[in-house]
Amino acid sequence: MADFELVDTPWCFTHIKLQLIHHSDALDLHSEGIHVTVSVAICSVVDLLTGKQIKTGTCGTISSNFSIPEYQRPYIWQDGQITKLLRDIAEHQAHSRSIPYYLGSVILHADGERLNIIDGQQRLTTLALIAHINGQFTDFALHYNSPISQRQIVHNLAWLKQHSAEWLELIDFKLLQFSLVITRSEDQAYQFFETQNTGGVRLSGEQIIKAHHLRAIGEKDKPSVDHFARRWEALGDLSMTVDLLLRGRYWQYLHFREYPQHNQKAKIRDCIVNELAEKTGKGEDTAFGRITRTYSTSGAESLSQAQVGYDLRQPLNSGVNTIHYLQYFENLRQNYLIHSKMISTPKGFSDFYHHFICKLEGCSYLKQLLDTALLLYISQFGQKNLEVAAKKLFRVIYSRRIENQTTVKERSIPAFIQETPVLDWITASFTVEQLFAKLDGFDLKVDGNGLGEGDNTVKKRFVVRVTEHFSLSISKSDFKTQFGPYFDKYIKGLEVSNG
């Protein structure tokens, strides 16, 4: 039996140790007189898991010592992905017992005696679990530091044992084949890692930037990589925060860039990788923010900062800087935009945002813009007059809901931002009073179509909700002419605190 053992680590984490080693008969692509940095080896799963060495041209003879880099995503394959793999293998081998079934490529970075698995962890681990249950290949070792990987391995072992009768006799490891892509250049291996989609789910933008920044940390301080990998995992799904940050960074007047629509997944992924990985620098962990200097009559200087954190549009450096930046804005989003009962969140803002904004219908694209504006505001001014700021921003951003005759389309939001650069108004303001004056100066226009007494439009329902929430004294018969002036008067008259 393959040796699975639980080992306590100095950090009180559990290592799940899979015994496995590898080999393949190499296909040497090194051409004499030509500098080739990548070697390719073709091997069966039997060769891969029985402990023989890999002979390559560029990388020489590689010893069998697999490792999973800290920046790799955890082992996350679940029942559905394992079922598909087993079904595909079984169907192939049911029709052909002589032609190998190709499982895709495994990308390896040869780092001394160690082979870092850059792509292929999900398939290799699953095959190792199958071999363990099958009582095959006892000389292969992989260590899994991630608690997510550990839990999934335990679950998948139980699932495979439960369903072993369905696949055990159909799996012939001699007829399963990989191509190994091996390089001694970590940068080149990383480039392969970014672009691969072999035998699994294409890497998301968040997974790629995680790998990028953990690699950058490893270049300076390898012992810190595991710490930051666990910190990243603890943040959970960062896709919503990253989406808001990208909007805030792309939609700026002096350097406006088109941000893809929600269904353009590949383009969004490319934007994430470009903005939060490829364009980051190599400097230190730097946070930019506004500082107020106050001088007394004697010339003494005092400094104050409204919010201690990172500026949303600030330049970023690879490694700790970007990880802290993402952690900071994820915490802001969780504290202000997700949890309605945080002690630190002003109650007036919480009631307005969670009990009104989050329950409006037909305004999801406008809410994305408002959320971005709120993150910008909080990161710049903190909680100061946050409820007032949210309502004044609401008046400007949600004007699209009442100035349009039809529904608000996703593609109309960038056009609105170019006409009304509300995000730039926030970043260009030195004080909340300066910002509020700019927001109050916005000319609210109301299109009366769809606001008649007999109408039941999305716009009409929106106006009704706004009128009720702000207790505006308007009858439904007067919506066409009175809603704009009454709403303007209420929002512009909000009391602003000097504290």
Side-chain angles (χ1 to χ4, degrees), residues 59-120:
C59 298
T61 300
I62 305 299
S63 62
S64 51
N65 183 16
F66 279 142
S67 177
I68 300 173
E70 293 87 346
Y71 56 77
Q72 266 281 23
R73 57 180 168 178
Y75 175 63
I76 56 174
W77 265 23
Q78 299 182 0
D79 305 353
Q81 286 140 317
I82 296 176
T83 298
K84 183 179 184 304
L85 175 67
L86 294 172
R87 183 175 60 244
D88 290 346
I89 293 172
E91 288 179 356
H92 174 82
Q93 295 185 175
H95 292 88
S96 174
R97 301 296 296 183
S98 59
I99 301 176
Y101 179 73
Y102 180 61
L103 289 167
S105 63
V106 173
I107 300 173
L108 303 170
H109 166 228
D111 182 13
E113 295 298 311
R114 183 175 60 187
L115 286 174
N116 289 326
I117 301 173
I118 306 303
D119 184 71

Side-chain angles (χ1 to χ4, degrees), residues 84-318:
K84 183 179 184 304
L85 175 67
L86 294 172
R87 183 175 60 244
D88 290 346
I89 293 172
E91 288 179 356
H92 174 82
Q93 295 185 175
H95 292 88
S96 174
R97 301 296 296 183
S98 59
I99 301 176
Y101 179 73
Y102 180 61
L103 289 167
S105 63
V106 173
I107 300 173
L108 303 170
H109 166 228
D111 182 13
E113 295 298 311
R114 183 175 60 187
L115 286 174
N116 289 326
I117 301 173
I118 306 303
D119 184 71
Q121 177 199 173
Q122 309 297 320
R123 286 163 289 148
L124 281 175
T125 301
T126 301
L127 291 169
L129 298 179
I130 293 172
H132 168 73
I133 295 173
N134 228 3
Q136 295 177 270
F137 315 129
T138 59
D139 297 323
F140 177 97
L142 271 179
H143 296 272
Y144 298 83
N145 295 329
S146 167
I148 295 174
S149 297
Q150 296 164 12
R151 289 192 296 269
Q152 199 61 43
I153 285 172
V154 171
H155 170 84
N156 288 352
L157 268 176
W159 187 89
L160 284 164
K161 288 178 181 177
Q162 181 182 353
H163 295 82
S164 60
E166 302 171 18
W167 57 263
L168 198 59
E169 299 299 323
L170 295 174
I171 302 300
D172 184 348
F173 287 105
K174 295 190 298 295
L175 294 177
L176 303 181
Q177 193 171 80
F178 280 111
S179 61
L180 306 184
V181 180
I182 310 163
T183 176
R184 288 199 180 277
S185 165
E186 187 175 18
D187 287 337
Q188 193 165 47
Y190 177 65
Q191 291 171 5
F192 278 110
F193 170 78
E194 286 188 352
T195 57
Q196 281 299 297
N197 185 25
T198 53
V201 178
R202 185 173 177 83
L203 294 167
S204 69
E206 291 77 18
Q207 290 164 340
I208 293 174
I209 62 175
K210 172 187 175 183
H212 177 92
H213 296 296
L214 291 179
R215 280 184 65 245
I217 293 172
E219 291 172 358
K220 296 180 180 179
D221 183 14
K222 284 190 179 294
S224 296
V225 177
D226 185 59
H227 166 74
F228 280 99
R230 282 180 284 167
R231 178 181 288 190
W232 187 294
E233 286 184 13
L235 293 174
D237 183 4
L238 288 174
S239 58
M240 289 299 298
T241 297
V242 167
D243 180 68
L244 296 178
L245 293 174
L246 265 289
R247 293 173 192 276
R249 295 175 74 91
Y250 271 55
W251 291 343
Q252 47 183 303
Y253 186 78
L254 292 178
H255 183 41
F256 188 88
R257 291 170 288 169
E258 289 289 344
Y259 187 64
Q261 296 185 34
H262 75 279
N263 59 349
Q264 297 175 303
K265 303 297 184 184
K267 290 185 178 180
I268 291 176
R269 176 181 179 273
D270 291 343
C271 286
I272 293 170
V273 174
N274 178 262
E275 186 73 13
L276 298 178
E278 294 174 353
K279 288 180 64 177
T280 57
K282 296 184 180 298
E284 301 302 318
D285 182 10
T286 305
F288 294 86
R290 294 287 179 85
I291 294 178
T292 302
R293 295 180 178 86
T294 304
Y295 296 95
S296 68
T297 53
S298 64
E301 179 186 71
S302 62
L303 304 178
S304 62
Q305 188 170 1
Q307 180 76 355
V308 179
Y310 295 76
D311 187 277
L312 191 147
R313 290 176 172 176
Q314 74 167 67
L316 296 168
N317 293 321
S318 295

